[in-house]
Amino acid sequence: MFKKAFSVFFLCFLFVSLLAGATSHVKSKYMFIKEHNAIITAYSNDPISINVPKWRDGKTATGVIAKKGICAADWKKYPVGTIMYIPNYGICEVQDRGSAIKGKKKIDVFVDSYEEAIEWGVQKQPVYVLKITKGI
């Protein structure tokens, strides 16, 4: 019961927050799809986080610029473009992958520095998979 009530509260809060921040006549909203617990780690473009020099170009595996709001996941479980809400991080979109990111219970979120990645550490928490719906 608590889990369902929290999910409804979270979705209402997310919806109101998004509408309040919308700047165009087309408003986006998110629809809750599923929830599960995962191990969340963080990475940055720092040489310590990315140990292969050719991958330190600031881009993800899909070619987009790595920035806050990008996450890495197993593409077999979460295809490119999957939207997630991660508590203490926010909304992220799967645009990257990594050799240590396997299965649905491992997500890597992008942060701006190695220090932020260390501060994030390893967190086990719920992940909410969302779907974008657009309306006028």
Side-chain angles (χ1 to χ4, degrees):
M1 179 67 181
F2 174 76
K3 189 174 179 181
K4 186 174 183 177
F6 176 77
S7 295
V8 169
F9 170 77
F10 163 73
L11 291 175
C12 290
F13 174 77
L14 185 61
F15 179 70
V16 169
S17 298
L18 291 171
L19 287 179
T23 58
S24 72
H25 69 284
V26 177
K27 293 177 174 54
S28 295
K29 59 182 175 179
Y30 294 91
M31 182 172 56
F32 175 79
I33 296 177
K34 62 183 168 182
E35 170 193 356
H36 68 275
N37 287 322
I39 302 296
I40 316 293
T41 53
Y43 71 108
S44 69
N45 259 340
D46 190 277
I48 297 172
S49 288
I50 301 175
N51 57 4
V52 179
K54 71 177 182 177
W55 293 337
R56 288 189 210 132
D57 61 358
K59 296 180 180 176
T60 67
T62 60
V64 302
I65 301 297
K67 61 184 178 192
K68 183 160 174 40
I70 297 293
C71 56
D74 184 338
W75 291 358
K76 291 178 184 172
K77 301 295 180 184
Y78 301 106
V80 170
T82 299
I83 305 290
M84 301 178 181
Y85 173 78
I86 298 171
N88 302 320
Y89 183 79
I91 293 177
C92 69
E93 181 175 350
V94 175
Q95 289 290 332
D96 211 354
R97 61 183 173 204
S99 60
I101 312 299
K102 300 293 181 207
K104 74 175 188 175
K105 298 201 180 255
K106 179 77 171 82
I107 309 290
D108 212 2
V109 295
F110 187 86
V111 294
D112 293 325
S113 68
Y114 175 71
E115 291 75 20
E116 284 182 74
I118 291 299
E119 187 177 317
W120 178 272
V122 176
Q123 299 184 23
K124 182 177 183 181
Q125 57 183 323
V127 172
Y128 302 92
V129 179
L130 308 172
K131 178 181 176 183
I132 296 178
T133 59
K134 294 190 184 223
I136 296 179

